[in-house]
Amino acid sequence: MTVTLADVAARAGVSAATVSRVLNSNYPVAEATRDRVLRAVAELEYVANGPASALAAATSDLVGILVNDVADPFFGILASAVQSEMSGDSTSGGEKLAVVCNTGGSPERELTYLTLLHRQRAGAVVLTGGATEDPAHTAALAARVARLSAAGTQVVLCGRPPLAVGVPTGDGGSAEGPAGASSASGADTGPAPLTVAFDNRGGARSLTEHLVALGHRRIGCVAGPEGLTTTRHRLEGHRAALAAHGIEDVPGRTVHGAYDRASGYAAAHELLRQDEDLTAVVAANDTVALGVCAALREHGLRVPEDVSVAGFDDLPFSTDAVPALTTVRLPLTEAGARAGRLAMGREPAPADGVVLLSSELVIRKSTAPPYS
Amino acid sequence: MTVTLADVAARAGVSAATVSRVLNSNYPVAEATRDRVLRAVAELEYVANGPASALAAATSDLVGILVNDVADPFFGILASAVQSEMSGDSTSGGEKLAVVCNTGGSPERELTYLTLLHRQRAGAVVLTGGATEDPAHTAALAARVARLSAAGTQVVLCGRPPLAVGVPTGDGGSAEGPAGASSASGADTGPAPLTVAFDNRGGARSLTEHLVALGHRRIGCVAGPEGLTTTRHRLEGHRAALAAHGIEDVPGRTVHGAYDRASGYAAAHELLRQDEDLTAVVAANDTVALGVCAALREHGLRVPEDVSVAGFDDLPFSTDAVPALTTVRLPLTEAGARAGRLAMGREPAPADGVVLLSSELVIRKSTAPPYS
DNA sequence: CTGTTAGCGCTTTCAG
DNA sequence: CTGAAAGCGCTAACAG
């Protein structure tokens, strides 16, 4: 049936052990023998059995990348960067199978994938995007991550805050109830989770401050879904800017919604219904901003003459929008690349395990001084 | 160290076989026993060893999705659809690890991933996006796919034409040279590769015909990268429309480039240099069309008053562009879903193994009759 | 319904 | 430098 190591060994006239050694090049083998083996491998079109190697070696060449939504360029860019850094880029022959898993923003699927990856004994896992803040989920996630770490898997969080550590068993409140008889205490805590975070708070703050500096006072805010770290941080930054300038944070001026265009569209309508005289709107991200612009246009409002609109992330299409979007640029590619390198141990981890990437305000055409 | 099946068996007071049976629920087990086992699993926080199962059962729960560029929404949408259909959607407990692999458009990486997936004994693999037409690569790809099929992996091509079959060993020309002593002849050819293809040719043709019907005669064409099936098909459709209406296909009016914005931007400048009087431009896809629009605007040309522009794919942002893009809608989500179902054997395969999905012309604001 | 018995294909000491 | 042998953790016949 399918060609095995033994077949190759037989054809090359050596032992299986030798074939294994040349294939993994982790042990000295005579030049001549190596050639013979390699030839046999080619002739037989041998393809190693990954599961078998993984089982025997207790480690696999699989590394995972979790994203909230593959169809969203934000994650696509991040994933692409992480991935190209993880795939053994022809440097060390260590071919890694870097795979991206789509959670669709569902906390359950996130946990499921983590388990699946753990099952496969993945060498590393990077979790991208904002984290759900529900306590039960946070606890479950921390537990999964701890187990992964204990199993030797390097976990890297990218685009979300560091995980609260030291969450041992026996916590109250959690729905599940893993009982006592667990493994030994302490000891094997594997590699500590690392983090590459964005300065969402600072970015949002400077964005709103830009608007305030322009003269805006009645600023609407289309925030992301509630219960997501990213949403909270951006909102906090926005509010901090408002507070710093003595502008009242009117509740009705903030609306929550998904990170997509439809949500921006609906939110803008809602915002306008609450307060017809808004002079500016900060959106949860660029995609949402596009939806906001569309809704505004339908109301006969011009951007930025009548209402200024700002996005967040600076995705590629933002520059093509009409008018080009004022936004906050997040170093997505750098973040992904560093997360990938950290995961592969190709970059020294910072002492506190956290890399904070700064954001940059990008002023384009969608914001201007208020008309009236 | 890590908890194994045996540990669970011991704790539950049963044999390993029984634990395996309740975990895989593929064999009758007494209710009481099952509960006992499940409890032990929970208490011990047991996570099965995937590689070990895969080795013993000779199949893994890994399924792969190859895409040219995760950061491109076209692939993101496709991948997302395929993936949600592949992940055991809570129906049958069969949790699959659906992973997407980013080839970055590189033929070599495509082959590498195929090998890696084969190594992992993936249960299914879907290859998305246009295929490279280089003969050497096509042969290598066909060989890899044949080997995957022989290994029992269901291969599905999505968004690319069916693979030419019957490519046995001993072909001339190929760079590599797998020698004789291969396996037995014929016999175990596993599941035949399936295909879900788009009607790129027809879509492109109707798009150009729309332009011709509007009165355009000097139509520029920004085609995708050469040597890609998708590029060739769309170009053929465009030319067929031209020919059908007796319009000369001036060579200088077609420019090739990548499927990205920058390429559209550069191509439009190039096109304008060749022929200042172009009245319309059909772009390789929507993203490219955006680049074309930007370049046109820089030239002081209005869309669609001075020059009409059309895209392809109908990605989400096309409707938000100003003006909204006339384009050809490809049923991306349906294609991905069907490919996923086909891969999982959840949908009967058509007799000839090919599902052809039709495209639909979407007329919006970026095309209009020529000015002069 | 449940336990026993063999491996799955590879890596890895441990001796040559 | 190379071979022999002992599993890695799980599944899959077979017997009970």
Side-chain angles (χ1 to χ4, degrees):
Chain A
M1 257 282 290
T2 124
V3 185
T4 75
L5 231 212
D7 298 328
V8 177
R11 186 164 233 267
V14 298
S15 74
T18 300
V19 177
S20 169
R21 293 200 263 253
V22 345
L23 257 24
N24 296 297
S25 45
N26 56 1
Y27 211 79
V29 173
E31 190 66 27
T33 319
R34 141 178 275 95
D35 288 348
R36 211 134 35 83
V37 171
L38 257 19
R39 193 160 342 111
V41 167
E43 291 171 350
L44 263 26
E45 299 190 326
Y46 171 67
V47 175
N49 182 312
S53 320
L55 173 57
T59 91
S60 96
D61 54 1
L62 191 79
V63 295
I65 305 166
L66 266 61
V67 301
N68 284 347
D69 182 7
V70 255
D72 182 338
F74 175 89
F75 291 101
I77 293 170
L78 223 40
S80 176
V82 173
Q83 208 255 16
S84 68
E85 207 59 55
M86 282 184 137
S87 304
D89 50 359
S90 59
T91 325
S92 55
E95 262 328 344
K96 290 290 184 179
L97 209 203
V99 302
V100 1
C101 307
N102 191 206
T103 66
S106 151
E108 297 78 47
R109 290 184 59 74
E110 178 169 85
L111 295 176
T112 301
Y113 268 122
L114 247 22
T115 300
L116 251 19
L117 253 10
H118 183 180
R119 223 208 261 320
Q120 302 300 326
R121 300 300 185 260
V125 172
V126 4
L127 290 157
T128 69
T132 302
E133 293 198 295
D134 170 54
H137 177 253
T138 302
L141 184 63
R144 285 290 197 306
V145 169
R147 260 188 280 165
L148 272 169
S149 297
T153 299
Q154 174 65 67
V155 176
V156 179
L157 308 180
C158 178
R160 64 169 67 182
L163 225 40
V165 279
V167 184
T169 17
D171 203 327
S174 177
E176 293 190 13
S182 291
S183 52
S185 53
D188 58 351
T189 337
L194 265 19
T195 302
V196 175
F198 293 123
D199 182 18
N200 283 305
R201 211 182 266 111
R205 177 170 179 154
S206 61
L207 181 57
T208 295
E209 273 177 339
H210 156 66
L211 255 15
V212 171
L214 244 24
H216 293 278
R217 290 296 176 275
R218 306 170 81 86
I219 307 175
C221 176
V222 180
E226 272 176 293
L228 214 58
T229 53
T230 307
T231 298
R232 183 164 59 77
H233 293 159
R234 291 185 185 176
L235 198 46
E236 284 173 3
H238 168 65
R239 288 181 171 150
L242 252 30
H245 295 273
I247 300 174
E248 190 198 352
D249 177 28
V250 182
R253 283 197 194 137
T254 294
V255 177
H256 285 275
Y259 279 117
D260 60 29
R261 180 186 183 274
S263 143
Y265 181 86
H269 277 299
E270 171 66 18
L271 244 24
L272 250 21
R273 196 147 48 79
Q274 300 268 348
D275 182 351
E276 278 240 299
D277 302 322
L278 245 29
T279 63
V281 176
V282 293
N285 70 11
D286 294 342
T287 308
V288 172
L290 250 34
V292 169
C293 288
L296 254 25
R297 238 175 269 126
E298 265 185 28
H299 268 260
L301 263 17
R302 293 163 303 164
V303 177
E305 293 82 355
D306 300 314
V307 180
S308 283
V309 175
F312 209 108
D313 293 346
D314 192 27
L315 295 185
F317 63 76
S318 305
T319 180
D320 275 315
V322 178
L325 246 36
T326 285
T327 186
V328 173
R329 173 173 305 153
L330 253 26
L332 260 22
T333 300
E334 184 193 350
R338 297 195 65 175
R341 266 181 266 128
L342 247 20
M344 306 304 288
R346 280 213 274 265
E347 175 176 317
D352 61 350
V354 180
V355 174
L356 215 210
L357 263 20
S358 58
S359 50
E360 178 197 353
L361 178 62
V362 178
I363 300 173
R364 289 202 273 246
K365 304 295 186 188
S366 65
T367 51
Y371 199 79
S372 55
Chain B
M1 257 281 290
T2 124
V3 185
T4 75
L5 231 211
D7 298 327
V8 176
R11 187 165 233 270
V14 298
S15 74
T18 300
V19 178
S20 170
R21 294 200 263 254
V22 344
L23 258 25
N24 296 297
S25 45
N26 55 1
Y27 213 79
V29 173
E31 190 66 27
T33 320
R34 140 176 275 96
D35 289 348
R36 208 133 38 81
V37 171
L38 258 17
R39 194 160 341 112
V41 167
E43 291 171 351
L44 263 25
E45 300 190 327
Y46 170 68
V47 175
N49 182 312
S53 320
L55 175 57
T59 90
S60 97
D61 54 2
L62 191 81
V63 294
I65 304 167
L66 266 63
V67 302
N68 285 347
D69 182 7
V70 255
D72 181 336
F74 176 88
F75 290 102
I77 293 171
L78 224 40
S80 177
V82 173
Q83 208 254 16
S84 66
E85 206 58 56
M86 282 183 137
S87 305
D89 51 359
S90 57
T91 326
S92 54
E95 263 326 345
K96 290 290 183 178
L97 210 203
V99 302
V100 0
C101 308
N102 191 205
T103 67
S106 151
E108 296 77 48
R109 290 184 59 74
E110 178 169 84
L111 295 176
T112 301
Y113 268 121
L114 247 22
T115 300
L116 252 20
L117 252 10
H118 183 179
R119 225 207 260 322
Q120 302 301 326
R121 300 300 187 259
V125 172
V126 3
L127 290 156
T128 69
T132 302
E133 293 198 294
D134 170 55
H137 177 254
T138 302
L141 184 64
R144 285 288 197 307
V145 168
R147 260 189 280 166
L148 273 169
S149 297
T153 299
Q154 174 65 66
V155 176
V156 179
L157 309 179
C158 178
R160 65 169 67 182
L163 225 42
V165 280
V167 185
T169 17
D171 204 326
S174 176
E176 293 191 13
S182 292
S183 52
S185 53
D188 57 351
T189 336
L194 265 20
T195 302
V196 175
F198 292 123
D199 182 18
N200 283 305
R201 211 181 267 112
R205 178 170 179 157
S206 61
L207 182 57
T208 295
E209 274 177 339
H210 156 66
L211 255 14
V212 171
L214 245 24
H216 294 278
R217 291 295 177 276
R218 306 170 80 88
I219 307 174
C221 176
V222 181
E226 273 177 292
L228 214 59
T229 53
T230 307
T231 299
R232 183 165 58 78
H233 293 160
R234 291 185 184 176
L235 198 46
E236 284 172 3
H238 169 65
R239 287 180 173 152
L242 253 29
H245 295 273
I247 300 174
E248 191 198 353
D249 177 29
V250 182
R253 284 197 194 136
T254 295
V255 178
H256 284 275
Y259 279 116
D260 60 30
R261 181 184 183 277
S263 143
Y265 181 85
H269 277 300
E270 170 67 17
L271 245 24
L272 252 21
R273 197 148 48 79
Q274 299 268 348
D275 181 352
E276 277 240 299
D277 302 321
L278 243 30
T279 63
V281 176
V282 292
N285 70 11
D286 294 341
T287 309
V288 171
L290 250 34
V292 170
C293 288
L296 254 25
R297 237 176 267 125
E298 265 186 27
H299 268 261
L301 264 15
R302 293 162 303 163
V303 177
E305 294 81 355
D306 300 314
V307 180
S308 283
V309 174
F312 210 108
D313 293 348
D314 191 28
L315 295 184
F317 62 76
S318 305
T319 180
D320 276 315
V322 179
L325 247 34
T326 285
T327 186
V328 173
R329 173 174 305 152
L330 252 27
L332 259 25
T333 300
E334 184 193 348
R338 296 196 65 175
R341 265 180 269 130
L342 247 19
M344 304 306 287
R346 281 213 272 264
E347 176 175 317
D352 60 351
V354 180
V355 174
L356 216 211
L357 262 20
S358 57
S359 51
E360 177 196 355
L361 179 63
V362 177
I363 299 174
R364 288 201 272 246
K365 304 294 186 189
S366 66
T367 51
Y371 199 79
S372 54

